[in-house]
Amino acid sequence: MTIDVPFALRYGGKNDAKSVNYRKEGTLMKKTLTLLLVCCLLLGCLAGAAYADEPKQISYWIDVQQGSSMINSFAELACWQQVEKNLGVQIKWEHPAIGQGTEQFNLIMASSDLPDIMYYTWTDSYPGGPEAAIADGKIIALNDYIDEYAPNLKAYLEAHDDIRREITTDEGHIYCFPMVYTNTSADSPVWQGGQEREPYYESFMGLIIRKDWLDDLGLEIPKTLDDWYVTLKAFKEEKGAEYPLSCISMFLDLSDSFASAYDVSVPVTFTGGGTVFSIDKEGKVKYGMTGEGYYNYLVFMNKLYTEGLLDPDFMVQDRTTVQSKIANDKVGAWIEMMPAGIGTLRNQRLQDNPNDPFYPIGVLNPVANEDDELYYFQASYPFRAAGAAITTGCKDIETAMRVCDYLWSDEGSALMNWGIEGESYEMVDGWPHLTDALINNDKGLTPSNAFDFYYQLNGPFAADHANRIASKTNYRLAEGETDESLAALDTWSRNGQAPVGLPGGATLLSEETSEYASLYNELSTYADEMRTKFIMGYESLENYDKYEKTLRQFGLERVLELKQNSLDRYNAR
């Protein structure tokens, strides 16, 4: 703005009356101008302060199913509302439509309009994996930013080198803030924060048996394969069980319930067959559906099937069908995920008849011989293959990094896993517990559903096993009653020494993926078909040698070589 000041006042003038008057007027004008300038400066400062107090904004793309079916957006979660307040950040949530996560992820990757942060399974879902996503200009390598903006993640990776390897590409690029499943150390008397909790292999599936039937028959919990055979025959012959052992094929495979007795693992369809590979005691990659152990497994399962001890519909039935059979006393043992296989089914029975003796419990996988110890067990690796990557569309990398790193602080971890202290949880004897107000809420919700509004189920932080226990607890049990659902989780976690499958970070090179896919797809299709035929007796086990020869012809040795190379590169990171 230009202010018109008389020429004489700007440049001086003669010392005459007129000039004196000009100077007097000039003095007044100068004071006025000074006041105006001060006011302008104050207004500018106030405007600047107001601008500085405005929250920074970032956009975050994540499937809402990583939360709960109770919410439509993460904006509803109390944990994220508090994160925004604590950091002075406003998050614009972008959620794909339910069931369209993959489709919408691909559409975003094909566009130039990228959210600041994207949480996804980059190793499996982006062609060529995270290194290709970096090379394609979709996400950034975080190495250069972690030292300055992510002290919490840095500290955790320094303490847990296996997690660092998981989120590092073969070229050395750290590409995401990971989801890591953790648990308080067994020797700790109190709950540990996010930085202290150790990575944890979570078992969530296994064998369930009717303890009330065992007691009626005077039988102990079966431990060996022979024990299981005797028990299932007793269920059939003495309890009239139409399907002594029932399950769906996926659960039979995922649990490795009988395969682990022979030191083998089998593939699970929804995991892309990854669980068929495992690491043996010498650190070598092993394919489960070959060798003497696998042959003996097929012999045992064929025996169960042939004698009517294994449900003949196990390959085609769904979960609801199995549960209906259980509810109608047609099944004595089954395989389930938690908590539906124990607590939910028993509660349903007790509602109809409070004196119903139906009492299922979770049991260990069987061993081949009494003194054997299982080596492989069903569990998810601590790194769940998903992570929050920062895209090349992010204009404020510092803020995005600080938001992601905050979740790895003890304070942020508590928010993500437990919500708001005093509202959703309280500390009792050093451990977090759901509050009475939440358990006995006035909305008519189960404690688990009421809790769903406070915490995030899965995400790029140290997920807490104690949270899973709290959300699965049956709060209707009387004092002193055993929560068999939680007892089963503890039992299944002791099923063996090493998890089936390979680390999620052990990835193939871009130039290897097409060769591997071509070989493995044909090989695995054949192996799956033959497994069904062997168990059901459509193919004689006398042809097992021919089966193995065909696997080699399909390129099994090359498939194992590619997988071994990926594991070697992973270990060398």
Side-chain angles (χ1 to χ4, degrees):
M1 176 173 60
T2 302
I3 300 176
D4 187 19
V5 181
F7 182 84
L9 295 183
R10 284 185 280 167
Y11 298 104
K14 295 186 291 183
N15 191 20
D16 54 15
K18 188 174 182 179
S19 297
V20 171
N21 287 335
Y22 275 139
R23 284 197 290 271
K24 288 180 179 179
E25 293 174 10
T27 301
L28 179 60
M29 183 64 76
K30 287 180 179 178
K31 291 180 179 179
T32 304
L33 285 170
T34 301
L35 182 60
L36 284 171
L37 290 171
V38 170
C39 289
C40 288
L41 288 171
L42 285 173
L43 288 172
C45 291
L46 289 172
Y51 178 78
D53 288 342
E54 290 182 2
K56 294 186 176 182
Q57 296 186 350
I58 58 169
S59 53
Y60 192 147
W61 187 94
I62 185 172
D63 195 325
V64 74
Q65 293 181 93
Q66 301 297 332
S68 159
S69 60
M70 301 294 293
I71 62 168
N72 296 311
S73 169
F74 278 20
E76 302 173 45
L77 294 177
C79 58
W80 275 109
Q81 293 169 7
Q82 192 62 44
V83 168
E84 289 181 310
K85 291 178 182 177
N86 290 354
L87 299 184
V89 173
Q90 186 177 58
I91 299 175
K92 176 187 175 185
W93 293 105
E94 298 181 16
H95 302 303
I98 301 297
Q100 297 182 23
T102 299
E103 178 184 349
Q104 294 192 26
F105 174 82
N106 292 335
L107 288 174
I108 290 174
M109 287 295 102
S111 74
S112 57
D113 186 16
L114 301 174
D116 296 325
I117 302 171
M118 294 189 73
Y119 180 81
Y120 210 58
T121 51
W122 295 92
T123 52
D124 300 330
S125 303
Y126 192 90
E131 186 60 39
I134 294 172
D136 292 343
K138 298 300 181 181
I139 63 176
I140 65 172
L142 304 181
N143 306 57
D144 294 339
Y145 302 99
I146 288 178
D147 285 346
E148 188 171 0
Y149 303 134
N152 296 301
L153 178 64
K154 179 182 179 182
Y156 201 85
L157 297 182
E158 288 177 346
H160 303 286
D161 194 58
D162 53 336
I163 302 301
R164 181 196 61 78
R165 288 199 304 271
E166 289 274 25
I167 61 171
T168 303
T169 68
D170 290 331
E171 289 77 5
H173 295 136
I174 295 176
Y175 67 92
C176 75
F177 286 80
M179 175 188 174
V180 179
Y181 199 75
T182 62
N183 195 21
T184 293
S185 302
D187 57 357
S188 176
V190 295
W191 178 73
Q192 294 174 324
Q195 283 291 317
E196 295 178 283
R197 291 195 303 272
E198 294 292 320
Y200 184 69
Y201 293 87
E202 181 197 25
S203 297
F204 54 85
M205 176 177 287
L207 279 163
I208 300 171
I209 199 166
R210 286 193 60 167
K211 179 69 163 55
D212 55 311
W213 281 11
L214 291 176
D215 292 343
D216 287 347
L217 297 169
L219 296 173
E220 299 292 326
I221 295 173
K223 295 180 180 179
T224 67
L225 292 169
D226 287 342
D227 291 342
W228 271 92
Y229 176 74
V230 170
T231 299
L232 293 176
K233 279 185 70 69
F235 285 171
K236 182 180 179 65
E237 296 170 358
E238 300 181 47
K239 298 300 291 185
E242 189 174 348
Y243 315 102
L245 172 65
S246 187
C247 58
I248 63 174
S249 176
M250 185 182 75
F251 288 178
L252 175 65
D253 299 341
L254 185 58
S255 67
D256 280 307
S257 290
F258 298 97
S260 59
Y262 301 101
D263 273 354
V264 299
S265 55
V266 288
V268 182
T269 303
F270 80 88
T271 64
T275 54
V276 74
F277 297 101
S278 53
I279 305 173
D280 66 18
K281 297 175 183 178
E282 286 72 46
K284 299 298 182 183
V285 175
K286 179 179 179 179
Y287 180 73
M289 299 173 72
T290 188
E292 183 180 0
Y294 184 57
Y295 170 81
N296 290 331
Y297 164 71
L298 292 174
V299 169
F300 180 78
M301 297 306 294
N302 172 258
K303 181 180 180 180
L304 296 185
Y305 183 88
T306 301
E307 297 188 22
L309 305 180
L310 172 63
D311 192 331
D313 298 325
F314 81 98
M315 286 297 298
V316 295
Q317 66 188 350
D318 60 19
R319 197 175 182 182
T320 302
T321 301
V322 175
Q323 292 182 354
S324 176
K325 292 176 178 179
I326 296 168
N328 288 293
D329 290 326
K330 295 181 178 182
V331 177
W334 60 99
I335 301 169
E336 251 292 2
M337 287 197 304
M338 297 306 304
I342 295 182
T344 303
L345 285 174
R346 185 160 188 262
N347 288 337
Q348 291 171 351
R349 295 279 295 248
L350 292 176
Q351 286 177 0
D352 296 334
N353 176 13
N355 298 315
D356 195 319
F358 179 80
Y359 199 88
I361 61 171
V363 295
L364 289 169
N365 282 354
V367 292
N369 304 295
E370 186 74 36
D371 296 330
D372 289 351
E373 291 186 7
L374 295 176
Y375 186 67
Y376 294 117
F377 69 101
Q378 180 276 324
S380 296
Y381 271 79
F383 171 55
R384 297 300 173 84
I390 296 178
T391 75
T392 53
C394 181
K395 299 296 188 293
D396 188 354
I397 294 175
E398 177 181 351
T399 297
M401 290 286 294
R402 292 195 187 283
V403 168
C404 292
D405 188 63
Y406 178 69
L407 308 188
W408 280 88
S409 68
D410 285 346
E411 183 177 81
S413 176
L415 281 172
M416 288 296 103
N417 285 288
W418 294 95
I420 310 300
E421 187 171 5
E423 293 185 29
S424 54
Y425 79 99
E426 57 189 351
M427 299 301 293
V428 180
D429 297 328
W431 290 85
H433 291 265
L434 301 190
T435 61
D436 289 338
L438 190 145
I439 294 172
N440 301 303
N441 65 86
D442 57 8
K443 297 180 180 179
L445 297 174
T446 64
S448 178
N449 285 342
F451 189 29
D452 282 343
F453 290 97
Y454 284 91
Y455 78 104
Q456 184 177 334
L457 179 63
N458 297 309
F461 49 84
D464 186 6
H465 182 63
N467 161 287
R468 295 286 203 271
I469 298 301
S471 62
K472 287 180 169 65
T473 296
N474 183 354
Y475 290 95
R476 291 181 292 181
L477 290 175
E479 186 175 352
E481 284 190 86
T482 300
D483 192 328
E484 294 295 352
S485 294
L486 302 187
L489 288 176
D490 180 63
T491 295
W492 296 336
S493 70
R494 294 181 278 108
N495 260 329
Q497 305 169 48
V500 298
L502 304 180
T507 55
L508 298 170
L509 300 176
S510 298
E511 58 268 25
E512 296 173 335
T513 54
S514 59
E515 179 189 9
Y516 173 81
S518 176
L519 293 172
Y520 182 73
N521 289 343
E522 190 173 17
L523 180 152
S524 63
T525 299
Y526 171 73
D528 284 345
E529 290 175 355
M530 292 302 293
R531 175 183 48 163
T532 303
K533 290 179 179 180
F534 282 138
I535 291 176
M536 293 185 170
Y538 300 141
E539 184 78 30
S540 172
L541 280 161
E542 292 180 357
N543 295 326
Y544 187 76
D545 288 343
K546 180 181 176 182
Y547 157 77
E548 288 200 315
K549 181 179 178 180
T550 304
L551 287 180
R552 291 192 293 272
Q553 291 173 344
F554 279 138
L556 176 58
E557 291 181 1
R558 177 57 177 163
V559 165
L560 284 170
E561 181 182 16
L562 291 171
K563 281 292 186 180
Q564 186 66 53
N565 290 343
S566 71
L567 181 62
D568 291 343
R569 289 192 299 268
Y570 168 85
N571 289 330
R573 291 172 184 169

